Amino acid sequence: MNTFTNGSNMAAQRSLLRALGWTENEMKKPIVGIICAQSDVIPGHMHLDDVAKAVSEGVLAAGGKPVVVPSIGVCDGIAMGHKGMKYSLPSREIIADSAEILATAHAFDACVFVGNCDKIIPGMLMGAVRVNIPSAFVSGGPMLAGHKDGKKLSLSSMFEAVGAYTSGKIDETELASYECSACPSCGSCSGMFTANSMNCLLEALGMALPGNGTIPMVYSARIALAKRTGEAVMRLLEKNIRPRDILTTTALKNAERVDMAIGASSNSVLHLLALASELGFSKDRISVDTMNEISAKTPNLCRLAPAGNYYIEELDEAGGISAVIRSLIDADLFDGDAMTVAGVTQNELTARARVRNPEIIRPVSDPYSNYGGLAILKGNLAKDGSVVKKSAVDPKMYRHSGPARVFDSEEEAMAAISGNLIHAGDVVVIRYEGPKGGPGMREMLSPTSSIVGAGLGDTVALITDGRFSGATRGAAIGHVCPEAAAGGVIGVVEEGDVIDIDIEKGEINLRVPEEVIAARLSKFVPKVKPVDGYLKRYRALVTSASDGAVFKKF
């Protein structure tokens, strides 16, 4: 403890702390790094400085010395639909690296990670595992739902409104009305999108206190939660409970069960796989196949936007993630013996949790469906798997066959969709958007929302080796592996080829004879998009989405 504040050989280091105004007494206290991703460009991070300040107060109250240090972050919503989205997933690796660097270089005794959106939380989790000092997480919390004409809105409503405008269903005045109503407060976007999914899963993993995923950012309870988190990390330090003590195989499987129960973002699959890789878990312990096995046995209890009409603030009122965990524990679907950052087991932590609204959190005996909200599809088009948010798909599209409409970029697909060139029954194929092919594995919220906005959400499927936003709904199948840039079959799909999708059976196939596919692959030379800077390094190092799109291990 206090590596650089004790002993005469550390006098030079202490002189720098004195330059910061530290007192003799402060130097004797455990140093708790508060890694905070506050930003004036991300709505979910706008007030993280207030959250970090509250964490500091909790640390101080419990006898520690807090120091706040920064983290970068990308707002996926702002980056969507242009070159900026190529940097979103790659930022996760930078966030993990910077957390490792900051905590190790400054010899922190413990850490609290303060983030909120999309890739920031997964990157921080990966960094916490590497450093492996006592650590806890507290997010900034979700924004409140928007309201327009008596209906609730979210960011996904906005993207769908753009699609409706493009197809001539609404005019510019109506579009502006949506724009001014969709995002009424700071916080992570209000549905069960990627940011809120990961913040909810932090509770299931045991790395955050109850309420982390659901208490709205604008509520004072969020500040109180941050203070309790500061106190909790000091108890973790006292007991020497570290991330690798909490993040066991059991914890990750618990998170996957909650993932399926709440119908979380398809991106959660990517990030849980990345976390498993960081922990060194082999594929026989955690993989897309284990996720599918868990999905088959886990009922879907929640249908939150975009899959349904409820929002995160209502999930909080209904009992939050603690109530979901309690329901699963009582049904023997969640291991309650798993440890948490509260210093007690999940069973103890959720002992008093109760479902307060069975419409928002359905009973295990009466779920929305008997299987999880996510599904892994495999077949000759995705030998290593693909992902769909099943709970957000119209049941009419669980089985679909149609002609492929093939595009080598999101921009090409958007031009066709905006030009009303996509028709009922089509299967839109967007390739060269995977981790290597993009590079960066962009999210496809603009194409999917435009399809839904054009009234084609229940007749058109979209598949890609890229990703989908948690705000996506419809028959949107992403993470197709191997990707086109890695020589995958998606790279040799031709215009008009029939694609068969069966979500209930977990299958996705190109209806072309295997010998024809083999002949096409023998001549196939994947396209290489010209890139420079970080993206060029990222492309050289990144692995398949089926491995979490992490960097190669050396």
Side-chain angles (χ1 to χ4, degrees):
M1 188 178 292
N2 290 4
T3 301
F4 63 87
T5 58
N6 290 309
S8 57
N9 62 322
M10 291 292 168
Q13 286 85 344
R14 289 197 299 275
S15 72
L16 292 171
L17 299 182
R18 292 185 188 281
L20 292 169
W22 285 31
T23 66
E24 201 76 38
N25 186 43
E26 286 179 302
M27 292 191 197
K28 295 176 183 177
K29 295 179 178 181
I31 300 172
V32 180
I34 301 171
I35 300 182
C36 176
Q38 192 279 334
S39 169
D40 287 345
V41 76
I42 305 176
H45 289 216
M46 179 180 173
H47 292 321
L48 287 188
D49 50 351
D50 293 333
V51 177
K53 180 182 176 183
V55 172
S56 294
E57 291 175 3
V59 170
L60 284 167
K65 169 59 181 174
V67 289
V68 179
V69 294
S71 172
I72 67 162
V74 171
C75 177
D76 280 32
I78 294 173
M80 198 77 65
H82 59 91
K83 181 181 178 181
M85 180 48 71
K86 291 179 181 286
Y87 288 84
S88 173
L89 182 60
S91 75
R92 186 188 67 185
E93 313 309 308
I94 296 289
I95 291 162
D97 289 348
S98 65
E100 175 189 356
I101 290 167
L102 284 165
T104 307
H106 299 106
F108 294 155
D109 296 305
C111 269
V112 176
F113 293 86
V114 182
N116 212 23
C117 295
D118 297 277
K119 311 309 161 298
I120 293 92
I121 293 300
M124 288 178 166
L125 268 172
M126 292 162 69
V129 167
R130 293 181 196 171
V131 178
N132 201 36
I133 56 177
S135 300
F137 282 69
V138 61
S139 75
M143 70 170 59
L144 299 175
H147 293 267
K148 182 182 182 302
D149 302 329
K151 295 182 179 180
K152 291 185 177 180
L153 304 175
S154 67
L155 181 65
S156 61
S157 310
M158 191 63 239
F159 277 92
E160 290 174 13
V162 172
Y165 170 74
T166 301
S167 61
K169 294 184 180 296
I170 63 172
D171 60 20
E172 193 167 349
T173 300
E174 183 71 357
L175 180 64
S177 179
Y178 272 97
E179 180 182 331
C180 295
S181 306
C183 300
S185 74
C186 58
S188 50
C189 298
S190 56
M192 189 53 78
F193 311 147
T194 305
N196 291 328
S197 295
M198 293 308 301
N199 288 325
C200 288
L201 294 186
L202 280 173
E203 293 185 48
L205 287 166
M207 290 300 293
L209 297 177
N212 178 74
T214 57
I215 298 172
M217 189 178 224
V218 296
Y219 286 9
S220 298
R222 174 62 53 179
I223 297 301
L225 175 65
K227 291 178 182 178
R228 290 197 300 273
T229 303
E231 294 169 350
V233 81
M234 293 301 293
R235 292 192 295 271
L236 292 175
L237 181 60
E238 181 183 353
K239 296 179 179 180
N240 195 28
I241 298 174
R242 299 166 182 252
R244 287 180 180 269
D245 298 322
I246 296 172
L247 293 170
T248 61
T249 305
T250 295
L252 263 69
K253 288 184 176 180
N254 277 344
E256 289 172 8
R257 291 183 181 99
V258 170
D259 195 351
M260 301 304 170
I262 63 177
S265 164
S266 59
N267 280 318
S268 62
V269 172
L270 195 70
H271 299 316
L272 288 174
L273 289 172
L275 181 58
S277 175
E278 201 67 57
L279 288 160
F281 295 165
S282 61
K283 285 192 174 184
D284 62 339
R285 294 170 71 183
I286 299 291
S287 69
V288 291
D289 294 321
T290 57
M291 290 181 176
N292 233 11
E293 290 166 11
I294 287 171
S295 179
K297 299 174 184 177
T298 307
N300 180 214
L301 307 181
C302 303
R303 288 280 169 95
L304 301 158
N309 297 317
Y310 297 118
Y311 290 79
I312 301 295
E313 64 201 74
E314 292 165 299
L315 175 59
D316 187 61
E317 293 164 5
I321 297 303
S322 288
V324 174
I325 291 173
R326 188 73 249 167
S327 297
L328 295 176
I329 289 175
D330 292 344
D332 292 325
L333 293 170
F334 187 104
D335 192 331
D337 291 331
M339 182 51 64
T340 72
V341 293
V344 299
T345 65
Q346 290 279 12
N347 193 45
E348 295 170 287
L349 191 60
T350 63
R352 296 185 179 181
R354 294 290 181 272
V355 174
R356 295 192 287 267
N357 187 332
E359 287 301 312
I360 296 174
I361 304 174
R362 289 278 189 91
V364 172
S365 60
D366 183 29
Y368 282 102
S369 66
N370 291 318
Y371 38 77
L374 299 178
I376 306 297
L377 311 185
K378 286 190 171 185
N380 65 6
L381 193 52
K383 290 190 298 181
D384 295 336
S386 60
V387 183
V388 63
K389 187 170 181 175
K390 187 175 182 179
S391 59
V393 179
D394 189 311
K396 289 186 292 185
M397 291 294 288
Y398 282 176
R399 294 183 65 185
H400 180 78
S401 296
R405 305 297 309 280
V406 183
F407 306 96
D408 287 345
S409 70
E410 177 186 7
E411 288 80 5
E412 290 181 15
M414 278 301 297
I417 298 166
S418 299
N420 297 317
L421 300 178
I422 302 302
H423 308 293
D426 287 347
V427 178
V428 175
V429 178
I430 306 179
R431 60 194 181 192
Y432 294 105
E433 291 290 2
K436 288 183 178 295
M441 204 178 185
R442 286 193 287 183
E443 289 184 344
M444 303 287 130
L445 180 57
S446 294
T448 54
S449 296
S450 294
I451 287 170
V452 171
L456 297 171
D458 60 351
T459 59
V460 170
L462 191 154
I463 69 172
T464 180
D465 51 12
R467 300 180 295 124
F468 292 113
S469 165
T472 291
R473 63 188 176 105
I477 300 162
H479 306 196
V480 171
C481 298
E483 61 175 295
V489 172
I490 190 173
V492 297
V493 177
E494 296 181 358
E495 187 82 7
D497 284 348
V498 175
I499 293 175
D500 297 319
I501 299 166
D502 193 324
I503 294 175
E504 292 196 308
K505 287 186 177 180
E507 296 178 355
I508 181 168
N509 287 291
L510 181 64
R511 198 194 297 173
V512 171
E514 289 301 317
E515 60 271 19
V516 174
I517 294 176
R520 290 182 187 178
L521 287 173
S522 68
K523 301 174 184 177
F524 178 47
V525 178
K527 293 183 179 181
V528 179
K529 296 180 181 178
V531 291
D532 212 337
Y534 178 54
L535 289 181
K536 191 171 185 178
R537 283 186 282 136
Y538 181 82
R539 180 171 63 195
L541 293 171
V542 73
T543 60
S544 168
S546 62
D547 295 318
V550 295
F551 281 171
K552 296 173 185 174
K553 300 289 191 293
F554 295 100

